Amino acid sequence: MGALLALSSAVVYGIVDFAGGLLSRRVHHTAVTFLGQLGGLLLACAAALLLPADAVHLADLLWGALSGVGSGTAMWFLNRGLSRGDMSVVVPVSAVTGVALSVLCGVLVLGDRPGAVAWLGIAVTVPSLWFVAGGRAGAGKGTADGLVASLGVAVQYLALGQAGPGSGLWPVAAGRVAAVLVLLPDAARHARRLKLPPVRCVRAVLVGAGAALGLVLYLLAAQRQLLAVAVVLASLYPALPVVLGLALLHERISRRQAVGLLGAGIATVLLTLG
C-alpha cells in the first residue's frame, strides 16, 4: 500500500508540474506559486478535517511547517525555471538532486536501511531521471533554479516524513500555512501580478491544490514505507511531464529520454518489490 500511495503521489505531482509549467509561461511565476499555495491550504485543511487524527503534537506541526518552507521555496524556483521554458531540464534536475539528498539523509541521519532490491532500484532511479532530462545538466537558465528547488524538495520530503502517524494530515495543513507566509513578501512586491483573469486564477489554485494532494499521498506513504523508498518512488514524477509533452504537445523524445523512461519503469518495479 505504501508503494502504491507513493506512486500515486508521483502521478499527481507529474500532472501538477506539467500544468503549472504551461501556466507559468502565460502568467508570472509569483502568481502561480502564491495562488497555488492558497489552493493547497484549502485542500489540506479540508482533507485534515475529514481524516481523523489520534493525537496532534506541536512537534508534528513544526515538522509540517518546516516541510512547507521547503515546498514553498521549491515551487517558487521551480515555477520560475519553468517560466523560462526549460521544462524538460528543470523538473528532472530538481528531482534527481532532491531524491539524492533525501535518500542520503534518510540513510545517514535517520537510520533507514533499504534492502538489496530497493538499493538497486534507488541506484537505477538517479541515472534514469538524468536520461529523462536528456542527459543535460547545464542547458538553459532554469538549471540553477532546478538545483535550488531540489534543496526545497529534500527539506519538504524529509521534514514531512518525521511527522507522527497519529497527527493525521495536519502537518500538511501546517506546511501550507508556512508556505503561504514564506511567499507572502514576494507576493506583496508583485501584487499587480496577482490580478489574473478568473479562469487563470482558478487554474493556479487547482495546481496548488493538486500539489497539496500529492503531499497528502506522500505523507500517507511515508507512514507505511521506509522514507528513502517513499521519497524515490514519489520522485519518479518527472517521467510524466515528458509523456504528457509527447501526447499533448507533440514533442519528440530522444533515445536518451526513452532509456530514462524505461529505467524509471524498472526502478518502480524494484522499489515496489523491495
Side-chain angles (χ1 to χ4, degrees):
M1 178 60 74
L4 180 60
L5 288 168
L7 286 173
S8 299
S9 175
V11 170
V12 171
Y13 258 118
I15 295 173
V16 164
D17 280 347
F18 180 77
L22 291 181
L23 187 60
S24 293
R25 295 176 181 179
R26 299 175 175 85
V27 177
H28 196 272
H29 64 274
T30 293
V32 177
T33 307
F34 185 72
L35 294 176
Q37 293 303 324
L38 291 178
L41 177 59
L42 293 175
L43 184 138
C45 288
L49 290 171
L50 291 175
L51 184 68
D54 297 330
V56 183
H57 300 292
L58 178 60
D60 299 323
L61 297 179
L62 291 177
W63 281 119
L66 180 59
S67 173
V69 172
S71 59
T73 303
M75 290 306 297
W76 192 91
F77 281 98
L78 186 64
N79 284 332
R80 189 176 77 166
L82 292 173
S83 70
R84 300 179 180 186
D86 297 311
M87 185 182 296
S88 64
V89 175
V90 179
V91 175
V93 164
S94 65
V96 169
T97 313
V99 70
L101 291 172
S102 300
V103 171
L104 189 62
C105 290
V107 172
L108 298 180
V109 179
L110 303 178
D112 281 351
R113 294 294 180 267
V117 175
W119 268 120
L120 182 58
I122 291 172
V124 171
T125 298
V126 174
S128 296
L129 294 179
W130 174 265
F131 281 123
V132 169
R136 296 175 293 167
K141 297 179 179 179
T143 303
D145 290 325
L147 290 174
V148 177
S150 70
L151 297 176
V153 169
V155 172
Q156 167 187 277
Y157 282 145
L158 288 171
L160 192 58
Q162 303 312 301
S167 60
L169 299 179
W170 287 110
V172 179
R176 296 316 91 212
V177 173
V180 169
L181 293 177
V182 166
L183 296 170
L184 191 58
D186 183 63
R189 286 195 300 269
H190 298 89
R192 294 182 179 179
R193 302 285 190 177
L194 301 181
K195 297 178 181 180
L196 304 179
V199 173
R200 290 184 175 177
C201 184
V202 170
R203 288 177 181 173
V205 170
L206 289 177
V207 166
L213 176 59
L215 277 179
V216 167
L217 294 170
Y218 166 75
L219 177 58
L220 295 175
Q223 293 171 350
R224 295 164 173 79
Q225 185 86 41
L226 278 178
L227 182 62
V229 175
V231 167
V232 173
L233 285 172
S235 297
L236 289 170
Y237 64 87
L240 191 55
V242 174
V243 173
L244 291 175
L246 289 170
L248 301 180
L249 303 181
H250 307 292
E251 295 178 350
R252 293 185 178 183
I253 187 172
S254 68
R255 291 182 179 179
R256 287 185 176 183
Q257 288 176 312
V259 171
L261 291 173
L262 177 61
I266 294 173
T268 301
V269 174
L270 291 174
L271 288 166
T272 303
L273 293 176

